[in-house]
Amino acid sequence: MTITQLRYIVALDQFKSFAKAAEHCLVAQPTLSLQVQKVEQELGFELFDRKKNPVITTKLGKAVVDQAKNTLKEADKLFEIAGQWKDEPAGSISIGIIPTVSNYLIPSIYLSLQKEFSKVNFRISELPTLTILEKLESEEIDLGILATPLKIPNIVEHPLYYEPFVVYYPKDAKEKSSSVSMKHIEKYPLLVLGEEHCFRHQSLKICNRNSLAKIESGSVETLKRMVDMGIGVTLLPKLAVGKSSERVVPFQSPEPAREISLVYKKGFYKSKILKKLTSLILDAIPKEYHSKEKYKIIGVSLNQD
């Protein structure tokens, strides 16, 4: 029984599908199926009920999968120790990142990730906040990059930078200035992201609006296009805006901002990867956003997220 085989059975237990498990493990489906079958032959019993759709892990199989997870965790620790001796991170790591951060951060750091972590098998998924937290708790992912503070027991928050909110106006807006307050935008319909996005609830909190917005969307780009049509205004994360425009206006001081952090479950041991990843992200973020001194941090409401 090999480490690779253990990874295959853990993936199959997670995804309940040979095709999805194979895709996750970056192998052909017949390869994964054959290796799972070899483990079952070696143990002398079936780990999965293939007659069911989705695939169901048997009672004995569940016990094996649980032990396999522990074994893989210990194996990853060995890779971490080896990386310390070589001064080079090794092993594997899975990261969940919220969409309103991934759209600008991942393109900024991806090539550097490949270069700096050549021995690390990275997997990055774009997920909403609650899904990231659930997967951290179940240890399906190792790290999350999302808005904080969360103040959740068993979850460690490692703040990275602070990103101000800005207002995006329609083209024909008559009342714009170098900075805005609530009175400047309260007469406009507010367009926000959908219910699963923490950015939505932070936007409503900033604008002191409890009612539903005129339009909700799952995409920042869709919101911008709707504003372009003159339907209303929206709030955007500053770093997602790109080039400055007279239609993008900051708030008056102290500017509302969100705290972006790396989060992980207590007991996380891949310290070398964490340290290098933190450095890599901060190198991609302008230094003016590294400190929270001039900002008013808007918290995250998980009961609404």
Side-chain angles (χ1 to χ4, degrees):
M1 196 178 306
T2 67
I3 293 295
T4 299
Q5 289 173 329
L6 295 182
R7 295 193 191 281
Y8 290 169
I9 66 173
V10 168
L12 185 54
D13 173 72
Q14 177 183 345
F15 293 100
K16 313 299 182 188
S17 160
F18 280 91
K20 291 180 180 179
E23 181 181 358
H24 174 79
C25 295
L26 304 177
V27 296
Q29 182 176 332
T31 299
L32 182 136
S33 181
L34 177 61
Q35 293 304 317
V36 171
Q37 188 176 20
K38 285 184 176 181
V39 173
E40 291 177 322
Q41 291 173 346
E42 186 175 347
L43 293 175
F45 54 83
E46 288 189 345
L47 302 177
F48 303 97
D49 185 348
R50 294 161 173 79
K51 298 177 183 177
K52 305 292 184 180
N53 187 16
V55 174
I56 294 178
T57 308
T58 65
K59 185 176 181 180
L60 282 174
K62 187 62 179 175
V64 172
V65 168
D66 289 343
Q67 185 58 49
K69 289 179 180 178
N70 292 332
T71 301
L72 290 173
K73 185 182 296 185
E74 295 303 317
D76 282 342
K77 287 182 181 179
L78 292 176
F79 283 116
E80 177 73 9
I81 292 171
Q84 290 176 5
W85 280 103
K86 299 175 183 178
D87 195 29
E88 182 180 16
S92 63
I93 195 159
S94 179
I95 301 174
I97 180 170
I98 57 174
T100 54
V101 172
S102 66
N103 65 346
Y104 64 81
L105 184 60
I106 297 305
S108 298
I109 68 172
Y110 183 73
L111 293 179
S112 297
L113 272 177
Q114 288 187 313
K115 180 180 178 181
E116 295 292 327
F117 296 96
S118 60
K119 300 294 185 182
V120 177
N121 178 23
F122 264 94
R123 189 167 189 88
I124 302 174
S125 303
E126 191 176 271
L127 302 166
T129 296
L130 282 180
T131 302
I132 290 175
L133 294 173
E134 289 169 359
K135 288 183 177 294
L136 283 172
E137 181 59 34
S138 64
E139 299 184 354
E140 293 178 51
I141 61 174
D142 300 294
L143 292 171
I145 301 177
L146 41 70
T148 53
L150 299 166
K151 299 179 180 178
I152 297 176
N154 205 38
I155 294 293
V156 179
E157 300 175 11
H158 183 69
L160 295 168
Y161 60 92
Y162 306 88
E163 181 179 24
F165 294 78
V166 294
V167 181
Y168 187 66
Y169 279 99
K171 296 177 182 178
D172 58 352
K174 297 179 180 179
E175 186 181 4
K176 294 200 295 285
S177 58
S178 59
S179 62
V180 298
S181 63
M182 288 308 103
K183 69 178 182 180
H184 290 107
I185 62 174
E186 60 187 8
K187 64 181 181 180
Y188 293 94
L190 180 66
L191 313 182
V192 297
L193 289 172
E195 187 71 31
E196 72 275 15
H197 297 277
C198 56
F199 194 87
R200 159 208 169 92
H201 304 292
Q202 291 173 312
S203 297
L204 292 174
K205 188 181 296 185
I206 292 169
C207 296
N208 195 26
R209 300 193 190 186
N210 296 318
S211 60
L212 293 178
K214 188 168 185 178
I215 289 182
E216 299 179 19
S217 170
S219 164
V220 168
E221 289 304 314
T222 300
L223 291 181
K224 290 172 67 177
R225 287 196 291 271
M226 301 306 291
V227 173
D228 292 343
M229 294 172 63
I231 294 174
V233 300
T234 192
L235 270 58
L236 299 174
K238 173 66 176 176
L239 294 173
V241 171
K243 294 182 179 180
S244 60
S245 164
E246 63 177 10
R247 296 171 59 199
V248 177
V249 185
F251 281 93
Q252 293 176 355
S253 183
E255 296 176 71
R258 60 179 183 170
E259 178 183 79
I260 302 299
S261 300
L262 271 168
V263 301
Y264 48 90
K265 194 174 180 180
K266 287 182 179 178
F268 179 79
Y269 57 88
K270 301 177 182 180
S271 56
K272 186 173 289 293
I273 291 178
L274 180 64
K275 184 177 180 180
K276 280 208 169 188
L277 183 59
T278 298
S279 177
L280 199 64
I281 292 173
L282 290 178
D283 285 345
I285 301 297
K287 289 186 178 180
E288 62 185 289
Y289 303 126
H290 290 191
S291 171
K292 64 179 179 180
E293 290 182 6
K294 64 179 181 179
Y295 299 123
K296 177 183 178 182
I297 305 302
I298 306 300
V300 179
S301 301
L302 288 178
N303 60 331
Q304 297 173 303
D305 196 344

